Amino acid sequence: MRIVFIGPPGAGKGTQAKRLEQHCGIPHLSTGDMLRDAGRAGTPLGLQANEFMQSGKLVPDDVVVGVVVERLGQKDCASGSLFDGFPRTVEQAATLDKILAQTGKRLDLALVLLVDKDHLIERLLARGRSDDRLETIGERFREYDRLTEPLIDYYRRQGILQTIDGDSSPEIVFERIQKALAKVTAH
Ligand code: AMP
């Protein structure tokens, strides 16, 4: 099973993808986590990515795609992947489709988590990551609206989109995700 989680910053993509990983054993791939790890390790790629991340900008597609390709080559991804924070642009989405197609695979589901904007800001400020400062949050929302939201149409056209109301407790949102998954596996 290959699932993409889409949603603005603070929508709960990471929380829900981690839950699903525990529930069904499919690896959770967070490009944000991978880039932060690279930043902490001080690799050239990590340092380059860090500048974009701290200003709330998206990291260039080629950098992110490189990180994902490397991760997808690892054994555990043979059974599937839960993509959290990737793709974030239509170009990344088209590239992911191509990468998967090379080995006869494809995405099964794109889940959009929708949450009221005021709640998103509250959640981000409470989380307190270094890119969760108010100045950076505004830029991250703008990047989402401009570059990532078009993915919703991209996957709707592919017929694999399902929208989840993410404005509830993590437990309830997870139940909604399981229902969405059941629809896919029933086919
Ligand atoms: P996240 O942890 O998913 O909220 O990502 C944190 C930051 O990492 C984002 O604001 C971007 O700067 C960068 N990032 C993560 N994933 C991507 C991606 N797929 N494309 C571009 N930048 C990304």
Side-chain angles (χ1 to χ4, degrees):
M1 180 72 80
R2 286 173 188 81
I3 305 175
V4 164
F5 285 79
I6 304 168
K13 302 183 294 292
T15 304
Q16 296 299 331
K18 273 184 209 131
R19 270 183 185 246
L20 197 55
E21 175 182 50
Q22 290 206 326
H23 186 78
C24 56
I26 302 172
H28 164 218
L29 272 62
S30 157
T31 42
D33 284 350
M34 293 180 219
L35 295 169
R36 278 185 290 276
D37 285 347
R40 273 191 291 270
T43 65
L45 180 148
L47 297 177
Q48 191 196 348
N50 202 31
E51 284 187 29
F52 291 93
M53 294 167 83
Q54 291 311 318
S55 60
K57 296 268 184 210
L58 291 191
V59 173
D61 285 351
D62 56 338
V63 175
V64 181
V65 168
V67 169
V68 171
V69 167
E70 195 184 315
R71 182 66 185 87
L72 282 176
Q74 292 169 13
K75 262 200 205 134
D76 60 337
C77 290
S79 64
S81 326
L82 307 175
F83 295 97
D84 157 18
F86 179 88
R88 253 183 164 97
T89 63
V90 170
E91 287 72 20
Q92 290 180 13
T95 304
L96 178 60
D97 285 345
K98 275 191 212 136
I99 295 168
L100 294 176
Q102 281 166 5
T103 49
K105 295 172 188 141
R106 60 178 185 79
L107 292 174
D108 300 286
L109 176 62
L111 283 176
V112 188
L113 296 180
L114 294 180
V115 175
D116 180 86
K117 199 158 194 174
D118 290 341
H119 294 167
L120 290 173
I121 296 174
E122 278 168 26
R123 285 186 189 182
L124 291 170
L125 291 175
R127 185 168 73 177
R129 225 166 58 189
S130 67
D131 57 347
D132 288 337
R133 289 165 291 122
L134 208 48
E135 316 84 84
T136 317
I137 289 173
E139 186 58 22
R140 290 169 66 203
F141 282 134
R142 278 190 291 279
E143 291 282 83
Y144 176 79
D145 291 343
R146 192 167 66 90
L147 296 166
T148 309
E149 211 191 45
L151 288 180
I152 295 178
D153 254 1
Y154 181 90
Y155 289 123
R156 187 179 286 126
R157 275 192 238 117
Q158 290 193 359
I160 60 168
L161 188 84
Q162 291 200 50
T163 304
I164 304 284
D165 172 4
D167 231 336
S168 304
S169 68
E171 292 72 25
I172 293 177
V173 175
F174 189 61
E175 280 171 20
R176 291 177 186 148
I177 289 177
Q178 284 178 293
K179 281 193 192 139
L181 267 174
K183 281 191 211 164
V184 176
T185 46
H187 286 157

